[in-house]
Amino acid sequence: MWQRTALISVILHLALPLQAEDAFRAEALPSIPAELLSQDSRLRFRIVSGKVVVHTIHYGTKRRETAKRNDGTHVETLTYLLGDPAVSLRYEIDSIQGRLLIEVPHGDALSAYWRMVEPSGETEVVYRQLPDRVLFSVNGPAGEKRFVQRSLWHLLICQPELSRRYLLPMLTLCRNKWNLGEQLDQVQQELCRCADTIRLPSRGQLMTWVRQLSSANRKDRHVAMKHLREVGQPLLAFLDGLNQDHLDREQRHQVSQLRHVLEYPAVDTPSRVATRLVADVNVWTSLSFHRDVQTRILAAHQLKRLTGHTTAIEDYAASK
């Protein structure tokens, strides 16, 4: 099992904005009162390029801060290093309802471990952010489920039920009034709008330009790079799916440079996230099973545009 590191506490009496399948009904989650993390005015949590990051508004000499709170039923401990925009942080809470541990050793390398007691039994939740992917697991009375996705947004869209039940409440503890459920709904709405308005080159054409990045003809290389840059952020989903073993050294170098240009760090907004994911086949495959009929049909049509194939998913979506 992944290393049990993590950070955040859980205000689980909040009403979860459940918008997964109609049949999904969450049990009443235990309430863990947590104050030190979300109420510390010096810490700022944001989602940047699909990863949760924490910064501080405090500048000056680096120093370590520690805060503790014990009300007799639970114990909270918050420790972090101030003095740099990027913060190293550890948050822990223990109570009869469970244990939560959140750690940010550096940058966006956030980990979270949550052991909670539900009416149906004890459940362990783990979330970790690695440089190129995020990991998420839920281990409870019904067994263990593990998921690997490229970003937090991929995880929220592709695993909506478990994400809304376990992950969103954890992340919401980082910031008061962090309406991540609403943001996720807005991202999906923007995705549907982008699918209707953004027209992308075919995957075959994109692959042709990638091959030309190592052409012996300098003009061909320049033209290919120009076309790829013009696609903009929707190109990132295509680059994610490239098999690096099928590229030569120059192509890999140019793709890396191209990704560096397109993946500029910025706080995620619904519009920015949707533009980034509009050409992502995995995202649209998940949305083709959405509870909304029109979303399913739109997702199936977008898959056909992206892959060039009429799939069983399209027939399934159109029939529901």
Side-chain angles (χ1 to χ4, degrees):
M1 178 176 287
W2 304 320
Q3 182 183 2
R4 293 182 177 180
T5 54
L7 40 109
I8 311 176
S9 31
V10 207
I11 307 175
L12 292 175
H13 58 275
L14 56 83
L16 291 176
L18 294 174
Q19 190 172 316
E21 300 299 323
D22 287 329
F24 175 65
R25 295 293 183 269
E27 301 176 47
L29 297 179
S31 173
I32 300 181
E35 298 181 7
L36 292 181
L37 190 66
S38 62
Q39 295 185 5
D40 195 310
S41 61
R42 291 167 292 186
L43 299 176
R44 291 292 183 268
F45 285 85
R46 300 286 189 271
I47 300 179
V48 177
S49 300
K51 300 285 185 66
V52 178
V53 299
V54 56
H55 292 84
T56 176
I57 60 173
H58 174 88
Y59 297 93
T61 305
K62 287 188 177 181
R63 70 174 189 270
R64 186 169 298 278
E65 296 282 348
T66 300
K68 293 185 178 180
R69 193 170 77 91
N70 185 345
D71 68 358
T73 61
H74 73 283
V75 179
E76 289 181 88
T77 305
L78 172 63
T79 302
Y80 53 82
L81 183 65
L82 289 173
D84 189 289
V87 178
S88 59
L89 179 150
R90 175 186 172 92
Y91 176 80
E92 186 173 9
I93 182 170
D94 276 297
S95 74
I96 59 174
Q97 291 93 352
R99 175 174 181 261
L100 177 70
L101 172 65
I102 300 171
E103 290 182 337
V104 181
H106 57 82
D108 61 3
L110 180 146
S111 297
Y113 166 74
W114 180 22
R115 178 180 57 80
M116 57 180 292
V117 180
E118 298 184 273
S120 58
E122 189 173 282
T123 299
E124 292 183 345
V125 183
V126 177
Y127 172 74
R128 292 185 63 197
Q129 294 179 171
L130 302 181
D132 60 344
R133 62 194 185 279
V134 299
L135 312 177
F136 178 54
S137 71
V138 178
N139 188 3
E144 183 177 21
K145 295 182 179 180
R146 294 189 176 196
F147 309 96
V148 180
Q149 294 290 348
R150 295 199 64 85
S151 75
L152 173 63
W153 296 112
H154 284 84
L155 183 59
L156 295 176
I157 293 172
C158 297
Q159 301 298 331
E161 293 186 13
L162 291 177
S163 294
R164 288 181 183 270
R165 178 173 176 78
Y166 297 109
L167 185 56
L168 289 187
M170 280 203 303
L171 297 179
T172 300
L173 294 172
C174 295
R175 259 179 59 185
N176 286 331
K177 301 180 180 179
W178 203 6
N179 298 319
L180 294 178
E182 293 182 12
Q183 290 185 37
L184 176 57
D185 294 338
Q186 292 169 7
V187 165
Q188 293 181 350
Q189 293 169 8
E190 280 293 308
L191 270 170
C192 294
R193 185 190 65 80
C194 288
D196 276 337
T197 58
I198 296 179
R199 291 294 173 261
L200 303 170
S202 69
R203 298 176 73 84
Q205 179 62 75
L206 293 175
M207 197 65 237
T208 297
W209 289 332
V210 169
R211 294 193 186 99
Q212 291 175 345
L213 292 176
S214 61
S215 170
N217 186 305
R218 182 177 180 181
K219 181 179 179 181
D220 288 345
R221 296 198 305 271
H222 176 78
V223 171
M225 178 60 79
K226 178 177 181 292
H227 286 315
L228 289 170
R229 287 189 176 186
E230 287 175 348
V231 176
Q233 286 212 318
L235 181 67
L236 289 169
F238 172 78
L239 298 181
D240 290 342
L242 283 178
N243 188 334
Q244 297 294 312
D245 294 336
H246 294 170
L247 305 180
D248 61 33
R249 178 181 298 181
E250 180 61 22
Q251 288 168 347
R252 287 195 296 269
H253 173 72
Q254 293 298 329
V255 166
S256 177
Q257 294 294 103
L258 185 60
R259 183 183 291 280
H260 179 74
V261 171
L262 296 176
E263 284 188 328
Y264 59 90
V267 175
D268 288 347
T269 63
S271 177
R272 173 179 164 82
V273 175
T275 302
R276 169 69 171 78
L277 301 182
V278 69
D280 193 296
V281 172
N282 290 333
V283 165
W284 288 108
T285 299
S286 296
L287 290 177
S288 68
F289 295 95
H290 196 275
R291 67 176 183 176
D292 178 68
V293 175
Q294 294 304 315
T295 299
R296 291 201 302 269
I297 294 175
L298 178 60
H301 291 331
Q302 181 71 350
L303 282 171
K304 183 178 180 180
R305 286 193 287 261
L306 293 174
T307 63
H309 303 294
T310 300
T311 66
I313 292 177
E314 183 175 13
D315 296 333
Y316 169 86
S319 67
K320 297 295 179 179

